[in-house]
Amino acid sequence: MTAYGTAGGSTAEVAEAVGDEMRQGGAIVDVVPVEEIKDISGYDSVVIGSAVRITKLLSKTRKFLRKNRRQLKLLPLAHFLVCMTIADDTLENVEKTTEFAKLLLSLKRPVTLGLFGGCMDPEKLTGMFAKMMESQPTEDKRDWDKIRAWAREALAELSEA
């Protein structure tokens, strides 16, 4: 299962690409928004992805983690974040973005952590964040080759776990 939290749709697109790549590798993968997941029993492993807003995982992702904490600790996990901070892939930005993942990392050590640049489209944002970003240009910093390569690596690692 690939469970994801998205605010403007960018993370959903990354999750679908991860799921597609894993399917091409022979896995059976459900790609589902975290707010629609009722039960994770029956899955052999879980990939959890989230957008980051103001240095934090989305609240719906945090809620999913709290609700499924006990079961998630029993499964092999892989995590990914979609965040504008990592668009410039420097050591400093990797460290910052990894810090944003600390809630995921505290749950259980994942087999791999993917850090991907995000997509910022002010027209797709809502709430306070939309107001803050309304004058910003649309930017897409996702590296699809990197995302697909990570999905293949994650599938191999999850299969071994």
Side-chain angles (χ1 to χ4, degrees):
M1 166 191 283
T2 298
Y4 66 89
T6 192
S10 173
T11 305
E13 293 171 352
V14 171
E16 288 294 343
V18 168
D20 288 346
E21 196 66 34
M22 290 182 164
R23 285 183 200 105
Q24 288 179 25
I28 299 170
V29 182
D30 294 326
V31 180
V32 186
V34 291
E35 65 272 22
E36 293 180 14
I37 298 170
K38 304 297 182 223
D39 184 14
I40 64 169
S41 63
Y43 288 98
D44 296 329
S45 61
V46 179
V47 176
I48 304 169
S50 185
V52 174
R53 290 289 183 266
I54 313 172
T55 75
K56 298 195 182 318
L57 301 179
L58 297 178
S59 62
K60 58 181 136 188
T61 305
R62 295 190 312 263
K63 182 178 178 180
F64 169 79
L65 294 173
R66 282 190 305 272
K67 177 182 169 193
N68 295 285
R69 184 175 218 49
R70 193 171 303 136
Q71 283 183 291
L72 289 168
K73 285 185 175 191
L74 302 174
L75 296 170
L77 302 175
H79 306 313
F80 70 87
L81 296 183
V82 178
C83 177
M84 292 304 283
T85 301
I86 198 66
D88 186 14
D89 197 358
T90 65
L91 179 59
E92 180 181 351
N93 288 344
V94 168
E95 289 173 355
K96 280 183 193 175
T97 308
T98 301
E99 183 66 22
F100 304 158
K102 69 182 175 185
L103 182 61
L104 285 169
L105 299 173
S106 71
L107 175 67
K108 180 180 178 178
R109 182 185 171 109
V111 297
T112 182
L113 173 64
L115 304 174
F116 309 125
C119 181
M120 211 287 293
D121 183 349
E123 292 183 14
K124 292 183 179 179
L125 301 175
T126 59
M128 177 183 69
F129 199 67
K131 279 287 189 205
M132 290 172 40
M133 304 305 282
E134 67 187 350
S135 64
Q136 298 299 311
T138 298
E139 292 183 88
D140 191 343
K141 300 294 186 174
R142 295 171 293 179
D143 179 338
W144 294 104
D145 291 336
K146 180 180 177 182
I147 291 164
R148 288 183 188 95
W150 179 84
R152 289 188 299 272
E153 172 193 327
L155 177 59
E157 295 289 332
L158 289 167
S159 296
E160 288 179 16

